[in-house]
Amino acid sequence: MLRILDARTGEPVSAAPARRGLTRIEAHASGLDPTALRVLLTADLLVRALELGGTPVWTILTAPRDQPELRTAATHLAIRPFEDGRDLASGLGEAQAVHVAQRGSGDTPGEGPLVAVAAAEWAEGAGGAAGRARPRQERGAGGPACGGAPDAAPPAALAALLADPAALRLALLAVPRSEPVRLDPAALDAAARSLARWRRAVAGWARRPSRPVPGEVRERLRAAWEDDLDLPAVLGVLRDVENAPGVPDGARFETFAYADRLLALDLARDLGSLS
């Protein structure tokens, strides 16, 4: 059962108290910036984890501005599409709503557990103000940290972030959502290299006879993502499987394919590309 830390109470709660009951995930974004992308990604991971556990889910996006741009960016990041309105749930027997928002944003979403997401920062380089989108907590008194709208991220920063969406997704997954994350070209390059290595490995493993995901590995993966969406732990399990001696290549392939149902990194993209 997926449990999440409710930022309203500081206590872990079930993300779906009625397992088969419809759960609404509502992402709250104040504008198009790196932190908003992280909020949308967290909502997407919550949706995928609930669906893997058999819970029906629907998602909506609440944003005072930049909705079309946010939806476009979400599509690039392999984030599930958002519904257009919240009235749909009234006829569907909605059991619970879970809200996902930036930590300390000052907004007060509606009733239901609140998943808080720490800020994301883009730094093009040391002193590179043109590509920098500072977290709201760092801005001066009377500015966005006091409840106003955050500055929009410069177009160059967003273009750099979304140049390789899968690498950006992996870079964000690698940091606990409770911790601020600093994104720069070096971090994205490292994520892209890791992703390319995994895709090559998956393509190679796919040529071997299929084997089931080892039971212990499946349990470790589910325990990680059901513990407050601990994605760094999920990635750690994959690294262990990648390097563990004695694991059949077919089992490695099935493990990565299974985890990718949550991660959505397109790890099987290169199947058939090896000669």
Side-chain angles (χ1 to χ4, degrees), residues 80-196:
R80 301 282 185 84
F82 294 94
E83 302 287 348
D84 290 330
R86 68 179 69 201
D87 293 337
L88 177 65
S90 60
L92 296 178
E94 178 180 289
Q96 175 169 286
V98 179
H99 300 269
V100 184
Q102 180 182 353
R103 185 177 64 197
S105 64
D107 299 328
T108 306
E111 294 182 0
L114 172 63
V115 176
V117 180
E121 173 188 7
W122 168 248
E124 188 173 18
R132 188 178 176 89
R134 292 181 296 162
R136 295 174 70 176
Q137 295 93 318
E138 295 181 0
R139 294 185 179 128
C146 295
D151 299 334
L158 290 170
L161 280 170
L162 293 171
D164 187 343
L168 171 59
R169 188 172 175 111
L170 179 56
L172 291 172
L173 294 178
V175 180
R177 71 166 186 279
S178 60
E179 299 177 7
V181 58
R182 177 186 174 89
L183 299 166
D184 57 25
L188 295 182
D189 286 347
R193 289 194 299 272
S194 295
L195 193 57

Side-chain angles (χ1 to χ4, degrees), residues 14-25 50-51 53-58 89 92-98:
S14 173
R19 185 181 178 199
R20 300 296 177 181
L22 179 66
T23 296
R24 166 165 51 93
I25 307 300
L50 286 169
E51 288 182 342
T55 298
V57 188
W58 71 292
L92 296 178
E94 178 180 289
Q96 175 169 286
V98 179

Side-chain angles (χ1 to χ4, degrees), residues 23-88:
T23 296
R24 166 165 51 93
I25 307 300
E26 185 167 350
H28 301 262
S30 53
L32 184 59
D33 60 24
T35 301
L37 298 182
R38 196 181 193 191
V39 167
L40 269 56
L41 175 59
T42 301
D44 180 63
L45 294 165
L46 187 54
V47 168
R48 292 173 184 272
L50 286 169
E51 288 182 342
L52 284 168
T55 298
V57 188
W58 71 292
T59 57
I60 64 172
L61 171 63
T62 297
R65 58 193 177 90
D66 299 331
Q67 274 224 22
E69 293 82 0
L70 283 164
R71 290 175 184 272
T72 298
T75 299
H76 286 305
L77 278 172
I79 291 171
R80 301 282 185 84
F82 294 94
E83 302 287 348
D84 290 330
R86 68 179 69 201
D87 293 337
L88 177 65

